[in-house]
Amino acid sequence: MDMKTEGSKQSRCDALMKRGIDGLQDQEAVERITALYCLAEELDRADAIDCAIGWCEAFEQKNIAGQLAMIVDYNRAGLIAHKRHGTPWQWDQPTLAQEIFYLRRAVSRKEFGRVHTVFSCMCLNNLANRLKVAGRLIAAIEYWNRILKFQPRFGMALCNQAGAFANYAESQIEGTRVLLYLAAHQTASRALATTAIFTDPNDLKTREQAASLRSRIGSFMDIGKLEAQKPFEYPDQSGSEEERAYRRWCLQNGLFLNPLNDIGPVSIATADSIRLSG
């Protein structure tokens, strides 16, 4: 950003803060909150971040519901996250808990299914990222799977999920670890495809991380040979058709106690591989 452009944005940020949201219609107020949030984050303006959080709190007192409330929840989580970034990691993180709360509330609103696909993907992706930071990797993967069910080309979800699969692989036994690394490589490849959908110029850094991950996995695994073996496929021929249908239902809903079922409904996961030791 050149000095002239930055100066213009700084002036606009100051003007927005001075005008406030008093007297505005709800739609206009939310648009102004969003505009200040975007500028404050880009310019790293702590005063503007605090101002926008105050506006969110004031807006909530009006008990507004629907899509406007959802946008405010999304913005508020992002504003709190900006204040948290760069601070030392702690086991007890009340600000992270707040971020998760507002994003959960946004995606739980009854109107969530009617918002624009990109916005719903961004909400779910941010929530998954926060859960990952909180140490809830499996819950995060579930949210990325939820995104990819209705928008399989959403780039940020693909990048983030590829990294999660690779992290997950490191804690598993050899056979499971290999398949999770393969899932990470395949997911990263989908993120790097020309058809992948990215919504922000800053997403470039995440794509670079996905490219680095794919290259690293390819350096110690023969991906082509492994894929040719179709390792995720394991035809279920046992039991009655009713029993097989039940197992397919369990796969679709991620109910098997099997790390591979977290990848998705892959037929090799049709068994509980995690048991109590005895």
Side-chain angles (χ1 to χ4, degrees):
M1 187 190 312
D2 59 52
M3 295 296 293
K4 183 176 180 180
T5 301
E6 181 177 357
S8 176
K9 290 183 177 182
Q10 295 282 7
S11 297
R12 186 175 175 224
C13 188
D14 291 335
L16 285 174
M17 292 171 62
K18 185 176 180 179
R19 292 171 191 162
I21 60 171
D22 292 341
L24 295 179
Q25 295 293 319
D26 293 337
Q27 179 73 39
E28 293 177 307
V30 172
E31 289 174 356
R32 187 163 293 180
I33 292 170
T34 302
L36 184 60
Y37 165 38
C38 293
L39 280 171
E41 187 173 49
E42 182 180 359
L43 299 171
D44 195 22
R45 288 270 302 262
D47 58 339
I49 292 287
D50 288 337
C51 178
I53 290 174
W55 290 357
C56 290
E57 293 171 352
F59 191 83
E60 181 159 354
Q61 298 305 311
K62 301 176 70 175
N63 294 318
I64 302 299
Q67 294 187 20
L68 293 180
M70 198 182 307
I71 294 170
V72 173
D73 282 341
Y74 174 84
N75 289 344
R76 193 168 183 176
L79 288 160
I80 295 170
H82 190 85
K83 289 174 67 71
R84 175 177 57 82
H85 290 164
T87 60
W89 194 91
Q90 301 178 55
W91 181 259
D92 185 17
Q93 300 186 70
T95 53
L96 179 60
Q98 290 176 13
E99 295 162 42
I100 292 172
F101 169 79
Y102 290 117
L103 288 167
R104 277 193 184 278
R105 188 167 70 174
V107 305
S108 299
R109 293 185 185 274
K110 62 182 181 180
E111 299 84 3
F112 185 71
R114 299 196 293 271
V115 300
H116 192 279
T117 299
V118 170
F119 178 73
S120 62
C121 287
M122 291 167 62
C123 282
L124 291 166
N125 183 65
N126 284 5
L127 177 54
N129 285 338
R130 302 310 196 278
L131 289 168
K132 180 184 176 184
V133 173
R136 299 186 60 189
L137 184 64
I138 307 307
I141 289 173
E142 290 176 1
Y143 277 105
W144 286 315
N145 280 334
R146 181 173 165 184
I147 294 170
L148 298 171
K149 280 181 180 179
F150 64 86
Q151 181 43 273
R153 296 184 293 123
F154 193 71
M156 286 298 287
L158 290 166
C159 288
N160 292 328
Q161 190 177 72
F165 285 154
N167 290 339
Y168 198 9
E170 294 168 6
S171 65
Q172 301 300 318
I173 60 175
E174 184 176 355
T176 302
R177 182 167 63 247
V178 167
L179 293 183
L180 283 166
Y181 274 132
L182 176 59
H185 188 280
Q186 292 176 336
T187 306
S189 295
R190 289 165 58 196
L192 297 168
T194 56
T195 53
I197 298 170
F198 289 90
T199 59
D200 191 295
N202 294 325
D203 294 347
L204 177 61
K205 182 178 180 181
T206 308
R207 289 195 70 187
E208 291 172 347
Q209 292 171 346
S212 177
L213 173 64
R214 184 176 69 168
S215 177
R216 180 171 68 85
I217 295 173
S219 70
F220 62 80
M221 287 175 55
D222 188 338
I223 299 298
K225 181 179 180 180
L226 191 57
E227 287 181 328
Q229 297 171 1
K230 299 181 179 179
F232 295 119
E233 298 180 16
Y234 189 83
D236 184 2
Q237 302 295 333
S238 61
S240 65
E241 175 54 34
E242 182 179 8
E243 184 179 343
R244 292 195 294 273
Y246 170 72
R247 285 198 288 269
R248 288 194 296 271
W249 177 82
C250 289
L251 270 181
Q252 291 291 337
N253 290 277
L255 298 178
F256 282 106
L257 298 178
N258 189 325
L260 296 176
N261 200 186
D262 295 317
I263 297 173
V266 291
S267 57
I268 196 174
T270 316
D272 292 329
S273 64
I274 301 175
R275 298 183 177 91
L276 293 175
S277 59

